[in-house]
Amino acid sequence: MIGRAEWDYWWAPETVDTIGEARAAMAVGAKRRFEAIEDSVEFFDGGQEVLPGIQAVSTPGHTPGHMSFEVRSGTEAALVVGDAIGNHHVAFMKPEWPSGSDQDAEVAASTRIALLDRIIADDLKIAGFHLPGGGMGRVEHDANGYRFLPEAF
């Protein structure tokens, strides 16, 4: 399963020419891998329940079709943020700052801010691949922006 926008981006012939020289080989490799699995891929879109209790959340910027996933059981929910939140030092204290790992730094910064605000407003737990303390915890506002609070679940 893959988000339709992500597939379309890496599949598009112009991606290799517009992604920048440093990332062109990555684009070629992604296209080659997608060609190998093309016949078995199922597509989904942001907002769609991809499996029971798991909803895709569109979080573009790191890549144009980047997705996070809300995992819900009753009133409890966690958001798996993927690469929408990378370097935890900068992402929480200065989410508006660009990151060199994002395909579209401006969109990624807007996405990060909206995502952090949603996490707080909806009282979501989070799981992130690039976060300290095992990558699971909560987010809160602080004087410098946001703060990640690791916790064991």
Side-chain angles (χ1 to χ4, degrees):
M1 297 180 82
I2 187 169
R4 186 177 319 278
E6 190 75 359
W7 177 275
D8 290 347
Y9 175 72
W10 293 108
W11 193 258
E14 62 272 8
T15 296
V16 73
D17 298 323
T18 59
I19 198 169
E21 188 176 327
R23 294 181 174 163
M26 182 174 63
V28 169
K31 175 82 183 292
R32 191 174 19 237
R33 287 176 189 86
F34 283 2
E35 287 170 345
I37 64 171
E38 179 180 14
D39 294 334
S40 60
V41 171
E42 287 182 51
F43 298 105
F44 61 87
D45 296 303
Q48 184 177 340
E49 187 176 56
V50 295
L51 293 168
I54 302 175
Q55 181 179 27
V57 178
S58 179
T59 51
H62 180 69
T63 60
H66 186 274
M67 294 282 179
S68 296
F69 296 91
E70 182 180 298
V71 181
R72 179 167 294 280
S73 177
T75 60
E76 293 289 313
L79 193 65
V80 180
V81 298
D83 289 325
I85 298 176
N87 179 316
H88 73 279
H89 300 291
V90 176
F92 289 98
M93 290 177 57
K94 298 290 185 186
E96 71 279 6
W97 283 9
S99 170
S101 67
D102 294 326
Q103 294 295 101
D104 188 325
E106 187 175 317
V107 170
S110 295
T111 294
R112 258 190 310 280
I113 293 166
L115 190 60
L116 291 166
D117 287 342
R118 176 183 175 189
I119 290 164
I120 292 169
D122 293 349
D123 193 28
L124 298 171
K125 297 173 184 174
I126 67 169
F129 308 127
H130 306 290
L131 301 177
M136 297 188 295
R138 295 193 173 275
V139 177
E140 69 180 16
H141 285 287
D142 76 4
N144 296 315
Y146 304 88
R147 179 171 50 181
F148 175 65
L149 304 167
E151 61 182 63
F153 300 155

